[in-house]
Amino acid sequence: MQIGNGKPPKVCQGLEALAGERISDAGIGEIAAAHDDMVRHYRKGDLIQYYRGNRAIHEAIVVAAENPALTGLYASVTARIRRARYVTPMTPQRWAFAVKEHEAILNALQRRDGAGLSHILRAHLRHKREEVLQAGFAETEGSDLALRIA
């Protein structure tokens, strides 16, 4: 099944960036704890648990904005692309880079740097989109991306 024409990943980028700019203090603490847990799985080499932690962080960013409409829209969009987004194989170099991106995301959240956070989240999700394409979970259609979910 193909999903969209590149719009769901771009929508996720925008929704996460918007949510990150409106995040609560309590949410930042929860995201920091989830980040620590994700890094622990990274250090153990447990990719499956890392992916679960990664997903928890991205979802927590949206939930912490405390906007039910935003959370509902995000859940709807991500349900359509979840498999491709979180089961894409990663090289050790890409995995290390993804962890560094998450460290930058957390740092921007803690500094309340909305513009910086938006930039980092958009780049992070764009990199994931490129991985999905390279792993064969997607096809290019013109300049857009269409995700294939088997």
Side-chain angles (χ1 to χ4, degrees):
M1 167 165 108
Q2 284 193 349
I3 296 183
N5 59 357
K7 300 298 186 249
K10 289 179 183 179
V11 170
C12 286
Q13 292 170 9
L15 293 175
E16 285 187 36
L18 179 65
E21 293 175 358
R22 290 161 174 74
I23 203 161
S24 67
D25 289 336
I28 292 173
E30 291 174 20
I31 293 165
H35 173 80
D36 291 344
D37 190 52
M38 183 194 71
V39 170
R40 184 172 44 84
H41 293 302
Y42 164 71
R43 289 185 179 137
K44 289 171 37 179
D46 187 343
L47 185 59
I48 299 299
Q49 291 303 318
Y50 168 85
Y51 274 135
R52 287 186 179 137
N54 184 313
R55 176 178 166 192
I57 289 168
H58 287 275
E59 289 174 355
I61 289 170
V62 175
V63 169
E66 299 176 352
N67 182 321
L70 180 67
T71 302
L73 180 57
Y74 182 81
S76 173
V77 171
T78 58
R80 297 172 60 200
I81 63 171
R82 186 168 291 133
R83 181 167 178 238
R85 188 175 183 191
Y86 294 106
V87 299
T88 307
M90 269 205 270
T91 65
Q93 297 81 11
R94 175 61 193 130
W95 198 1
F97 186 70
V99 171
K100 287 184 188 303
E101 287 177 320
H102 269 267
E103 289 169 356
I105 290 166
L106 181 58
N107 183 279
L109 281 168
Q110 291 169 330
R111 289 182 292 113
R112 296 287 191 185
D113 178 2
L117 175 65
S118 180
H119 175 76
I120 296 163
L121 279 169
R122 289 177 193 278
H124 177 66
L125 295 170
R126 187 175 57 249
H127 294 147
K128 186 57 167 179
R129 183 174 180 239
E130 291 165 3
E131 280 178 34
V132 168
L133 179 63
Q134 291 174 357
F137 281 101
E139 300 173 346
T140 55
E141 290 180 0
S143 62
D144 286 335
L145 172 72
L147 296 178
R148 288 193 322 250
I149 306 298

